[in-house]
Structure formats: structure tokens, C-alpha cells
Amino acid sequence: MPSLAQSREDLQVNVFLVQPPDTPVDVEPLDSAGGSLDLFSPPWSLMCLQAFLQKHTRHICHFIDCRLFADLETELVARLEQLSPPRILVIHCPILALGQVAAVLEITKRHFPTMRTVLCGEYPSAFPDHVSEIPRADFALAGDPEPILRNLLDYIDVEQRLRRTPGLIMQGSLKTEPYWVPRLAGLALPDWKDIFWNEYTNDLYARSCRAEVRLTRGHSRTDGDRAFGGAGSPLRHWPMDRFAALVSRCSHTEIKEVVLTDSPGFWTRERLDQWIKELLYIRNQQPWSLTIAPMALDDDLVADLRESRCFRVEVVFPSCDRSALGAYGIKLDWRELSRTFQALTAKGIRVYPRYWIGSPEESSGEEERIIQAIRRFSLSDYRVEPFPFTIDSPLYEEQMDRGRAPLLDEWIKWSRDPWIMERPVPLWGGRESMERLEKHMKAIHKAIQRSPALLWARVRHACRSTNWIETLEDKAIAFLQRNRKPFQP
């Protein structure tokens, strides 16, 4: 007679991978591109998890993106009813979206009381000891979710086996340490065909979209990434040849740009050169972009960027103060950086500086320093945005005792009743800093609008960067589709 564990090996579970609704923006960034370059795409972490389940398990996997819902409860319940039991809901859990996650859990448990719920992602990985404080979550995956979830699905009713699963948090668990796979090569990369991309179209191109990918997992442990999250996870990256092939495979799809969302501290000149060589080796035709720290690039590297089909380079300025930049390992040479920006622009690569404002370490005069930097480069595209507030970053660990930011306890308290309780403000300085940041944004905008050089740069850049043939083709197709008469038998 087969054991219970053996009988469970034939059980097929219907798995819902859920992305919670977006968090609201407290302070609107100052964006010369009007938000057209904001990234909205399927979450990379859930795409990887879905690919792993499809490749390495027998379980059925269904992706739900709550950001696309107009009515969260009605549409979520309808999607959950599409698959029959046994069902399990796995929800991605960003730290600053605990209220949205709690809302999804509450709706799920109210309509499907017996459905098991699982948390994965940033929050359970960074704070496994606090998972029990989130109501209505039956399990949590601390660390890389793929192997942990596979064990949970295969032995979901075998408690003795589950308690021996590294990284799995369940009721009555003792202290659980996150489980990190040593190498990413054993996991699975997504297949572009598994996503309905039409839901993610935006205004960057007509009838097209942008895709998020991430070459790395974990934290680089560099000074340049001290404001980024994931401080407790080790840095690992996919084999670059395998990842370059993944990027290249979507060149004939509706994906017009692949955006590498790796933190800038990962991209040294050596790594950037290695990545470009992999793309050149396979003769990549897919436009792509990435985010780097301010650095000078030589002419050969700029030429290779263009040849590898680099479309856009975002450059993050955590500060415009030389002394403050030293804490991020950045030695800034404004003249060399300006030359690099000019070289990139001359090759047709868009340069998009991003200036962070409101750092807990910034001295007075920050507003004027940003204005000077924008004028110095005379670029049409730039963005001034609040300094990122990330609870699992090295910077937060340094600043948390100084009382300048909401504590984790406030976010957990909000998650217990997100329908009624006021959400904490994810800014350095909390709610008190909102008015000050908005005032600085308006002052910067007013100063920049008076600059004739920037106005002319915007007009010149628009004329040079627009593909007029593609634009006319898109408009012609849109016109024909609008005026096409319906077929009548």
C-alpha cells in the first residue's frame, strides 16, 4: 500500500501567481518625458517563478496581475473561479505594499476560506520573523521561491516533510533563515510567449510595450547600491550568454524595448563590456536599455553599445554634491561625463539622467545643485524623483535609529486593516517631508522652464530621435483600423 507521501506525488495543484495592486505615488516626480518612459510590464520575479513551475513540476500555473483590474474584488474573484480545487494562491509581497497584499488576502479568504495562501518576495525574505504578523497568510517563502514552492506543492499535506523544507515558513515554525540557491543556472528563464503583452502596451511606441528583465538577484554589496533593497541576499547573476539569448529572442515580438532593471552598482565597465560582447556575438537585434551610475565611457564602448542595439541609458545621480557622492563610491568628473553623454547622443542612444532629491544625508542647497546639473547637460529628457525609501537597504539600517522615516512596525500595523487605516508615507522624513519635496519640485520646474537652451535641446532631440517612417506607418495602420467597416455576412 503506497504511503501518503507517495500518493501526493500524483496530485496536481492549480497555482495562482498574483501581483498586488500598485502603491500610490505620494510625490509626483518632475519628468520631462511626461511619464512615457515609466516601466509597466509583467513582474520579472513572477515570470521566472511561472517558468520554473511549468518546466520542473506537473502543477498548473495561472498568472494574475491585479494592477490591471478596475474593480479588484469582482475581477479577482472571477479569475480565481476559473480553476477548480485544489488551488493555492501565491502573492508577491513588496515591503511597501503590505496593505495591498493584505487586501488581496482578505478578499481571497472571504470568498474561498479553504484556499491556502502563500507570501513570496521581498517581505518574507527580508523579515522572516515578522511574517506571522500578516493576517490570512498560511505559508511564506523566504529566499529564492522556486525550490521552496515546489516542495510546498508536492507535499502540501505532509507536515513533517514541509517542516524540513529550507526557507518555508508555516504556522508553528521556529526561526527560519532564507534559502538562497547558490547559482541561478539551475532555475528557469521565462518564455515570452506565456504573457498576453497587449495588456501592457504604452505610449512609448504605438501598439507595442516594454519588458522588464533582471540579470541579477541579490545585493551587490557595493557603496553604489547602499540605497537599494535586498541587503540580506547574496549577489548572483545568470550566465550572460544565456541571458543575451533570452533578450535576443523577443526581437520579432510586440516588445520594442527590453529594460534591464539591475541596480547601477552591478554595472562596472568590465561587466558592461562583457554584456555587450555577448550581445554582439549573437548579433542581437532587440533594442534594450539599462541603468548605470555616473561614469565616463570611452568611444569604443559607446560604439559597441550602439552596435549591440542599446536604445537608452538611464544614469542615476543619488546626489549632485561631490562630497555626498563619495559615500556611493562615485568620483564625478562633470566634464568627462558631459562628453560621454554627447557621445551617446551622437550615436542615437537616448540618455536619461535621474536625479534623486530628499536624501537623509543631503546638505542644504540640493535644489540648486540639481538645477545646475540639468542645465549643464542640456538634455531634453531628465527626471527628478524622491530619493528611494527602501526598508531592507543598507542606508535604512544606518538611518533607522535617527527617527527620519516610518518604521517597519507602522507598515505591519497598516496591513492589519488596509481599508481603514492610513498608509505610512514612504519618504525619508515621513509625511512631514511631502510638502518640502513638492516645493522643491516646483522650484526646479520653474527654473528649468525659463531656460531657452533646454527648450531648444528638447526640440532638436525630438526631431533627431523620431523615426518618421515608423511613425507614419503606425498612424496609417491606426487610421485604417479605425475606419475599417465591420464584416457583414
Side-chain angles (χ1 to χ4, degrees):
M1 183 175 181
S3 66
L4 177 60
Q6 291 173 330
S7 66
R8 299 296 298 180
E9 291 180 358
D10 298 326
L11 178 65
Q12 188 178 75
V13 180
N14 290 322
V15 184
F16 295 101
L17 300 181
V18 180
Q19 177 69 19
D22 269 338
T23 57
V25 176
D26 294 278
V27 176
E28 289 289 341
L30 175 59
D31 190 349
S32 66
S36 61
L37 298 183
D38 285 338
L39 180 60
F40 180 67
S41 70
W44 172 250
S45 58
L46 290 187
M47 287 177 62
C48 291
L49 184 54
Q50 181 185 42
F52 181 86
L53 293 179
Q54 291 173 340
K55 182 177 181 180
H56 295 290
T57 76
R58 62 190 176 277
H59 307 291
I60 304 298
C61 192
H62 194 61
F63 176 62
I64 300 176
D65 194 339
C66 296
R67 300 174 300 173
L68 299 169
F69 293 166
D71 185 326
L72 176 61
E73 181 162 356
T74 301
E75 296 183 60
L76 176 61
V77 171
R79 295 290 291 275
L80 295 178
E81 288 177 339
Q82 290 179 355
L83 299 179
S84 59
R87 297 173 293 199
I88 189 168
L89 182 140
V90 181
I91 181 168
H92 180 233
C93 187
I95 299 172
L96 302 184
L98 289 181
Q100 286 84 348
V101 170
V104 172
L105 291 172
E106 192 275 332
I107 292 171
T108 301
K109 285 295 189 180
R110 179 154 40 87
H111 289 271
F112 308 94
T114 60
M115 186 183 299
R116 290 182 170 98
T117 55
V118 183
L119 301 180
C120 70
E122 301 167 12
Y123 179 73
S125 299
F127 304 104
D129 295 340
H130 294 276
V131 167
S132 60
E133 300 179 58
I134 306 301
R136 306 177 187 89
D138 299 312
F139 301 94
L141 316 177
D144 293 308
E146 289 92 340
I148 310 173
L149 181 57
R150 178 175 59 185
N151 277 324
L152 173 61
L153 295 174
D154 288 346
Y155 303 101
I156 194 165
D157 289 328
V158 186
E159 185 175 336
Q160 298 89 339
R161 183 68 177 261
L162 294 182
R163 291 194 180 280
R164 294 197 299 269
T165 300
L168 179 62
I169 303 173
M170 54 190 295
Q171 188 175 7
S173 295
L174 300 177
K175 185 176 181 180
T176 303
E177 296 292 332
Y179 173 74
W180 308 106
V181 297
R183 297 171 61 252
L184 301 184
L187 303 180
L189 285 170
D191 189 331
W192 302 113
K193 299 179 294 185
D194 295 330
I195 298 293
F196 183 61
W197 288 99
N198 286 342
E199 294 181 318
Y200 297 93
T201 55
N202 59 29
D203 297 332
L204 180 62
Y205 289 103
R207 303 175 291 103
S208 64
C209 55
R210 307 163 72 210
E212 168 196 3
V213 300
R214 189 175 173 92
L215 178 61
T216 62
R217 287 190 188 183
H219 198 279
S220 67
R221 304 292 199 277
T222 63
D223 291 337
D225 285 343
R226 57 196 294 264
F228 287 83
S233 56
L235 179 69
R236 296 141 299 153
H237 65 80
W238 293 93
M240 285 195 178
D241 57 343
R242 185 176 168 190
F243 208 83
L246 169 77
V247 170
S248 184
R249 278 200 299 270
C250 65
S251 59
H252 299 293
T253 68
E254 53 270 77
I255 301 171
K256 289 296 184 181
E257 181 187 0
V258 174
V259 182
L260 276 70
T261 58
D262 303 274
S263 56
F266 170 74
W267 291 110
T268 61
R269 289 179 181 83
E270 293 73 20
R271 282 176 175 155
L272 185 57
D273 185 59
Q274 182 186 358
W275 167 245
I276 293 171
K277 286 179 178 177
E278 293 294 347
L279 293 173
L280 293 175
Y281 179 76
I282 61 175
R283 299 182 180 181
N284 171 60
Q285 295 301 311
Q286 172 61 46
W288 60 278
S289 62
L290 82 168
T291 301
I292 62 174
M295 67 173 74
L297 305 177
D298 60 62
D299 292 339
D300 290 339
L301 186 55
V302 171
D304 287 343
L305 277 168
R306 173 61 178 170
E307 186 68 20
S308 68
R309 298 302 302 274
C310 180
F311 173 76
R312 179 171 47 88
V313 175
E314 296 188 13
V315 183
V316 170
F317 290 82
S319 173
C320 291
D321 185 346
R322 289 179 184 272
S323 58
L325 285 172
Y328 297 89
I330 298 173
K331 296 180 180 179
L332 197 58
D333 186 327
W334 290 106
R335 205 173 277 179
E336 284 296 313
L337 190 60
S338 182
R339 190 200 64 80
T340 295
F341 285 4
Q342 291 172 6
L344 289 167
T345 304
K347 289 291 185 180
I349 300 173
R350 298 187 180 185
V351 181
Y352 193 57
R354 289 168 49 194
Y355 304 96
W356 290 349
I357 185 170
S359 166
E361 302 175 315
E362 195 72 24
S363 59
S364 60
E366 180 181 26
E367 170 189 321
E368 186 58 35
R369 287 191 291 269
I370 292 175
I371 293 172
Q372 291 176 1
I374 295 174
R375 287 174 173 167
R376 178 182 286 112
F377 297 128
S378 295
L379 292 169
S380 61
D381 288 337
Y382 58 85
R383 183 183 180 101
V384 183
E385 57 193 4
F387 197 98
F389 174 75
T390 313
I391 293 183
D392 59 336
S393 67
L395 181 61
Y396 183 85
E397 294 179 8
E398 299 169 13
Q399 297 289 326
M400 62 182 299
D401 294 332
R402 301 183 184 181
R404 296 201 58 189
L407 299 175
L408 177 63
D409 290 343
E410 296 180 48
W411 297 91
I412 294 174
K413 185 178 179 182
W414 168 55
S415 72
R416 291 169 184 159
D417 200 346
W419 309 107
I420 299 175
M421 294 196 64
E422 187 176 25
R423 182 180 69 98
V425 176
L427 294 172
W428 293 102
R431 191 170 301 279
E432 297 176 358
S433 67
M434 286 181 61
E435 185 176 348
R436 175 176 54 84
L437 282 178
E438 290 171 349
K439 180 181 177 181
H440 288 333
M441 293 284 194
K442 290 178 181 178
I444 294 172
H445 180 67
K446 184 177 179 180
I448 296 303
Q449 287 298 102
R450 294 199 303 260
S451 174
L454 285 172
L455 178 61
W456 169 240
R458 189 173 296 120
V459 174
R460 186 175 66 247
H461 178 74
C463 293
R464 289 179 176 177
S465 61
T466 301
N467 186 328
W468 295 106
I469 295 176
E470 184 178 280
T471 300
L472 291 173
E473 287 177 347
D474 289 338
K475 289 186 177 296
I477 292 173
F479 176 79
L480 291 174
Q481 290 177 340
R482 231 181 7 253
N483 292 276
R484 185 176 57 189
K485 295 182 179 179
F487 173 74
Q488 294 182 351

